[in-house]
């Protein structure tokens, strides 16, 4: 794999070309100061100061083990021992706030390649839906997986010359609460040929998918031939799509072949062996029974990191999360 193949999978590179077949997205170039904030592990977990108090979350996530490092002793006059103030990015916050409004009030964020899916535990909704700059910053700062984009994205390249791209971008994508995770699929293209399609959400069994398998593969194959094959320049890559209720296909993402990309219901060895001289080598894999479910890691909020005492701000934050959970349980669709 080469650097140029990785670069083509950046959202700011492919989205303008496929905009009409993707979901609505606004992309912002991030200032280097914000990148330094995301990668700085030497400071406590501080959220940026917000220019709008109505959108602000508590600035600091409480970590007891940091107490000694950042506590100022009585009578100390050494300014170097004073805790550093929270960062502030007013220009970026204004742009993000305007974009969220333009996208209907709710978005989910991602950087050049990756979304902070591993940080969903810290959201009051348990997903990546954001309604403010503070919520976007919280997800990005809490994510460990984004370190890949920031520091290691070229590690698998045979012609590696740099450790990171010259610029980072934040993509704000319109949030659709009605999207069904079982209708997202990952497609594997090897040497210009679509060789595999996998259900993207492999932690559940959805009987309706099995019934629609032939119909789905026809839609996906047509989309690849008509929309993707002649427009994406790499020979080997993966792309993620979503199939809507009215059988439209929406492009969600591109990823490099192998490298850091999950192969889901395949192994990379199986996919590499697909091209054996046969033209019709496409295989479509679904979770076809409860036995085929592949449970993912269950991540819980590290409770010790939070100061949840009255007045901390987090008490209100968690109260709202409890209310949303109770509302979901009471919903008529909850048992559907």
């Amino acid at each position: 794999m080469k650097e140029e193949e990785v670069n083509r999978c950046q959202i700011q590179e492919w989205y303008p070309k496929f905009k009409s077949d993707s979901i609505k997205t606004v992309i912002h170039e991030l200032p280097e100061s914000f990148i330094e904030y995301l990668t700085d592990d030497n400071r406590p977990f501080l959220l940026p100061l917000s220019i709008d108090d109505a959108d602000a979350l508590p600035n600091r996530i409480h970590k007891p083990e940091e107490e000694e490092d950042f506590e100022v002793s009585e009578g100390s006059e050494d300014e170097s021992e004073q805790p550093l103030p929270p960062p502030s990015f007013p220009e970026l916050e204004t742009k993000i706030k305007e974009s969220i409004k333009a996208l209907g009030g709710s978005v989910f964020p991602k950087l050049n390649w990756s979304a902070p899916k591993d940080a969903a535990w810290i959201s009051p909704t348990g997903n990546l839906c954001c309604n403010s700059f503070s919520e976007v910053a919280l997800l990005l700062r809490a994510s460990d997986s984004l370190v890949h984009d920031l520091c290691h994205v070229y590690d698998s390249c045979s012609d590696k010359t740099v450790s990171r791209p010259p610029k980072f971008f934040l993509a704000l994508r319109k949030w659709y609460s009605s999207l069904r995770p079982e209708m997202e699929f990952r497609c594997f293209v090897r040497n210009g040929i679509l060789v595999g399609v996998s259900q993207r959400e492999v932690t559940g069994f959805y009987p309706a998918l099995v019934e629609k398998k032939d119909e789905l593969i026809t839609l996906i194959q047509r989309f690849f031939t008509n929309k993707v094959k002649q427009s994406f320049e790499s020979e080997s890559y993966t792309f993620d799509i979503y199939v809507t209720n009215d059988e439209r296909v929406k492009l969600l993402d591109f990823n490099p072949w192998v490298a850091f990309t999950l192969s889901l219901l395949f192994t990379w060895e199986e996919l590499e062996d697909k091209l054996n001289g046969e033209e019709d080598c496409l295989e479509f894999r679904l979770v076809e029974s409860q036995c085929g479910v592949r449970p993912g890691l269950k991540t819980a909020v590290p409770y010790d990191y939070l100061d949840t005492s009255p007045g901390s701000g987090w008490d209100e934050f968690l109260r709202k999360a409890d209310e949303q959970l109770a509302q979901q349980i009471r919903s008529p669709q909850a048992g559907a």
Side-chain angles (χ1 to χ4, degrees), residues 14 17-23 223 227 249-252:
W14 65 260
K17 187 183 297 184
F18 294 95
K19 184 176 180 179
S20 61
D21 293 300
S22 188
I23 61 177
F223 180 79
K227 300 290 186 178
V249 179
K250 290 292 184 179
L251 181 62
L252 300 180

Side-chain angles (χ1 to χ4, degrees), residues 25-310:
T25 302
V26 178
I27 300 173
H28 296 284
E29 182 178 337
L30 291 172
E32 190 62 28
S33 58
F34 190 76
I35 301 304
E36 292 172 358
Y37 160 70
L38 294 181
T39 56
D40 186 1
D41 290 330
N42 296 319
R43 296 176 54 151
F45 195 131
L46 296 173
L47 290 180
L49 287 174
S50 176
I51 58 176
D52 187 347
D53 290 338
D55 289 342
L57 289 174
N59 287 111
R60 179 175 178 179
I61 293 184
H62 176 63
K63 294 187 178 183
E65 68 272 19
E66 294 175 348
E67 292 290 326
E68 293 182 4
D69 294 336
F70 295 97
E71 186 176 293
V72 180
S73 59
E74 288 187 22
S76 173
E77 296 180 357
D78 187 351
E79 292 185 1
S80 65
E81 295 183 17
Q82 298 293 329
L84 295 172
S88 181
F89 309 97
E91 292 184 12
L92 178 63
E93 180 175 357
T94 299
K95 292 177 181 178
I96 289 177
K97 188 174 181 178
E98 292 172 352
S99 296
I100 291 175
K101 183 178 180 180
L103 290 169
S106 297
V107 301
F108 69 93
K110 68 173 292 178
L111 296 189
N112 300 31
W113 292 273
S114 306
K117 292 182 178 180
D118 61 316
W121 60 265
I122 206 169
S123 164
T125 58
N127 54 41
L128 301 187
C129 180
C130 296
N131 303 304
S132 68
F133 169 72
S134 294
E135 292 177 349
V136 171
L138 176 66
L139 286 175
L140 298 180
R141 186 67 176 85
S143 175
D144 289 327
S145 66
L146 290 188
V147 174
H148 165 265
D149 281 24
L150 298 170
C151 306
H152 302 292
V153 73
Y154 298 114
D155 285 0
S156 301
C157 295
S158 58
D159 61 344
K160 178 182 176 181
T161 59
V162 294
S163 59
R164 48 157 283 180
K167 296 179 180 179
F168 285 100
F169 294 83
L170 172 65
L172 299 174
R173 318 204 72 185
K174 183 176 177 65
W175 178 264
Y176 296 91
S177 59
S178 60
L179 291 188
R180 297 156 55 197
E182 72 271 21
M183 297 308 293
E184 186 177 347
F185 303 93
R186 173 158 293 174
C187 308
F188 300 87
V189 179
R190 181 65 168 164
N191 295 337
I193 298 173
L194 182 63
V195 296
V197 177
S198 172
Q199 182 178 330
R200 186 73 176 83
E201 207 294 281
V202 296
T203 65
F205 168 52
Y206 304 93
L209 278 187
V210 179
E211 298 173 9
K212 298 174 66 175
K213 187 173 183 178
D214 292 341
E215 178 184 340
L216 286 168
I217 197 60
T218 299
L219 286 172
I220 294 169
Q221 210 162 10
R222 185 186 306 134
F223 180 79
F224 169 68
T225 301
N226 296 340
K227 300 290 186 178
V228 178
K229 186 174 183 178
Q230 302 303 322
S231 299
F232 196 70
E233 296 175 355
S234 293
E235 285 293 308
S236 300
Y237 54 93
T238 76
F239 63 97
D240 293 346
I241 53 102
Y242 181 84
V243 180
T244 66
N245 290 336
D246 55 358
E247 298 186 346
R248 289 178 297 129
V249 179
K250 290 292 184 179
L251 181 62
L252 300 180
D253 206 3
F254 283 98
N255 281 294
W257 181 264
V258 191
F260 46 81
T261 308
L262 293 176
S263 57
L264 301 172
L265 294 175
F266 293 94
T267 66
W268 282 113
E269 290 75 15
E270 289 173 327
L271 291 164
E272 293 277 2
D273 291 341
K274 282 291 178 185
L275 292 180
N276 54 8
E278 299 177 11
E279 193 63 32
D280 186 16
C281 57
L282 176 59
E283 183 177 357
F284 187 18
R285 290 190 180 178
L286 300 172
V287 176
E288 300 200 19
S289 71
Q290 197 64 43
C291 296
V293 169
R294 300 189 180 185
L297 290 174
K298 301 298 182 183
T299 307
V301 55
Y303 194 80
D304 288 342
Y305 280 21
L306 303 180
D307 177 4
T308 58
S309 60

Side-chain angles (χ1 to χ4, degrees), residues 326-336:
Q327 185 177 359
Q328 291 174 14
I329 294 173
R330 290 193 302 267
S331 170
Q333 288 136 352

